[in-house]
């Protein structure tokens, strides 16, 4: 009987290892590509209207990865983290190699807070300052250069119309 259990134990370990490898491969494939999709948003500030091409991060896996491990982010591009409902949010820069500006946006499209020049690879929490629907990450210096500030308006497909 010990031989049978020994063979069964090796078989069970093989199956468990195979399942673990398959799960890891599926996770790696899901995270290797870019975010859920692309969109265009516009921020209306005192200096004018500024258009950004954004990658959408709309689920937990995409939001957890964000812009980690990227070496560059061109001007006019960013990642938009959509939480689907308003909620307080905290971000950090772990495994993020480029400095970023974080723009915290309410469901009605108004900017609640701008966190400029977040330090790469830092575990310091960067809070939203209140409930937000989304967070836009852009290359550091963008908010200052374009005059983007709390109270400015963001338009795009995820923000409430008519506000």
């Amino acid at each position: 009987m010990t031989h049978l259990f020994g063979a069964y134990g090796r078989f069970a370990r093989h199956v468990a290892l195979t399942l673990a490898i398959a799960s890891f491969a599926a996770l790696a494939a899901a995270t290797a590509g870019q975010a859920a999709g692309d969109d265009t948003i516009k921020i209306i500030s005192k200096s004018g209207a500024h258009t950004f091409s954004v990658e959408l991060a709309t689920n937990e896996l995409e939001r957890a990865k964000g812009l980690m491990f990227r070496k560059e982010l061109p001007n006019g591009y960013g990642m938009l983290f959509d939480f689907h409902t308003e909620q307080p949010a905290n971000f950090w820069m772990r495994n993020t190699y480029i400095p970023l500006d974080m723009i915290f946006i309410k469901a009605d499209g108004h900017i609640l807070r701008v966190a400029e020049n977040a330090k790469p690879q830092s575990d310091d929490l960067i809070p939203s300052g209140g409930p937000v629907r989304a967070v836009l990450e852009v290359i550091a210096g963008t908010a200052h250069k374009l005059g983007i500030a709390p109270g400015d308006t963001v338009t795009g497909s995820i923000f409430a119309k008519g506000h």
Side-chain angles (χ1 to χ4, degrees):
M1 286 300 259
T2 54
H3 179 56
L4 179 62
F5 277 92
Y8 176 76
R10 284 192 299 277
F11 174 75
R13 282 192 300 274
H14 175 72
V15 169
L17 181 59
T18 302
L19 289 173
I21 290 170
S23 296
F24 179 74
L27 177 64
T31 60
Q34 294 195 350
D38 298 318
D39 201 358
T40 301
I41 62 167
K42 190 178 291 185
I43 299 177
I44 294 89
S45 71
K46 291 179 182 172
S47 66
H50 311 284
T51 302
F52 294 88
S53 295
V54 296
E55 293 176 47
L56 299 173
T58 60
N59 64 47
E60 282 298 319
L61 187 59
E62 293 165 348
R63 288 190 296 265
K65 183 178 179 200
L67 291 172
M68 288 181 175
F69 309 109
R70 306 268 181 107
K71 300 290 185 183
E72 61 184 32
L73 182 64
N75 285 320
Y77 288 83
M79 180 168 279
L80 187 66
F81 297 78
D82 181 6
F83 299 108
H84 305 287
T85 61
E86 282 195 336
Q87 61 185 316
N90 287 297
F91 277 64
W92 63 9
M93 294 287 288
R94 180 181 293 169
N95 297 321
T96 305
Y97 302 136
I98 50 179
L100 299 171
D101 288 347
M102 295 181 190
I103 301 168
F104 297 89
I105 310 163
K106 297 181 68 55
D108 67 3
H110 287 97
I111 295 174
L112 177 66
R113 177 173 187 255
V114 177
E116 294 186 51
N117 204 22
K119 181 182 174 187
Q121 301 191 57
S122 172
D123 285 344
D124 294 342
L125 291 181
I126 302 166
S128 59
V132 293
R133 162 75 191 257
V135 178
L136 173 64
E137 290 183 343
V138 294
I139 195 71
T142 300
H144 179 75
K145 181 172 75 174
L146 301 179
I148 296 170
D152 289 349
T153 304
V154 181
T155 62
S157 60
I158 71 165
F159 300 107
K161 309 288 188 253
H163 292 270

